[in-house]
Amino acid sequence: FLQVSGKINKGIRKTLNDDPNMFFSYNNGITATAEEIKFSKNNEGKKYISYLSGFQIVNGGQTTASIHRAKKIDNIDLNSISVPTKISIINKSKLKDIIPNISRFSNSQNQVKNSDFHSDNAYLKKIEELSKLVFIPGESGKWYFERMRGDYQSDKFKSENDNKSKKNFNDLTPSIRKFEKVDIAKYINAWDQKPYFVSAGQQKNFVEFMEGHAVVALKNNIDENYFKELVAK
């Protein structure tokens, strides 16, 4: 158990204490295995698990330990807590081979970054809109702003079904002219002489940028000139 000093376990404890009804929605839950499972029905005809043999949690140890600590140490009422659980029934002879893979793959999913949560922000939508309208000098191409992670590859993939549109996409927006949310934050904060934010890392710098410069810029006029100055920086 990594205690409650880390960000994740702190968040679990906060939800347990402040918003217990939302725990099912906010928490990733646990992954477990069992060798045998049996079901029964209650008086209302609803099905429930009545028996599990060889039950073990293979991913979700921090969630489990955090809930246990909340009850034993913090005396938090857990009556309204529901924990999402995925249970795989596996033959005993295959447990040794399958369980390590379940644990490994459950912990190797694509990471969600802080910047991903801001994709629908009005400032970023405006930059994306301008990136589709403003040409580089000579009108020979554009700069591609990737508002949502993976958009560039998705658009490129769509264009590859047609040789003509593939050539147009590559000519208009080669990857060398692609920039992302964290790039905007890095270069503008550096230009605005805030190295103490930039050096804190991409994600922390981005959050500060969205709470600072982006808010002010939205109140002013984000137009073609703003976009050109942004690209220049």
Side-chain angles (χ1 to χ4, degrees), residues 173-221:
T173 53
S175 59
I176 196 172
R177 286 204 299 266
K178 175 179 79 76
F179 64 103
E180 305 172 10
K181 302 184 287 289
V182 291
D183 295 325
I184 294 177
K186 179 168 62 177
Y187 292 121
I188 287 188
N189 271 353
W191 184 268
D192 289 346
Q193 300 179 35
K194 297 177 179 177
Y196 37 88
F197 289 131
V198 180
S199 61
Q202 284 191 340
Q203 298 303 313
K204 288 183 179 179
N205 178 61
F206 176 80
V207 171
E208 194 287 327
F209 172 81
M210 293 305 296
E211 294 174 352
H213 179 98
V215 173
V216 176
L218 271 175
K219 293 178 180 177
N220 299 319
N221 189 24

Side-chain angles (χ1 to χ4, degrees), residues 143-159:
W143 282 79
Y144 187 104
F145 171 57
E146 188 175 61
R147 180 171 62 88
M148 297 183 68
R149 197 156 40 125
D151 274 353
Y152 182 83
Q153 288 300 327
S154 294
D155 287 345
K156 186 176 182 180
F157 178 77
K158 291 174 188 174
S159 70

Side-chain angles (χ1 to χ4, degrees), residues 20-56:
N21 290 322
M22 294 304 295
F23 193 83
F24 185 90
S25 299
Y26 294 165
N27 188 264
N28 288 334
I30 63 176
T31 300
T33 62
E35 297 167 28
E36 186 183 358
I37 189 169
K38 292 180 181 178
F39 297 94
S40 297
K41 288 185 178 180
N42 61 18
N43 294 333
E44 298 174 350
K46 292 182 179 180
K47 197 175 182 181
Y48 67 92
I49 297 172
S50 58
Y51 175 85
L52 280 170
S53 171
F55 179 85
Q56 60 177 313

Side-chain angles (χ1 to χ4, degrees), residues 79-93:
N79 283 326
S80 57
I81 301 295
S82 293
V83 183
T85 307
K86 180 175 71 175
I87 303 174
S88 299
I89 306 303
I90 301 173
N91 188 286
K92 188 174 182 179
S93 64

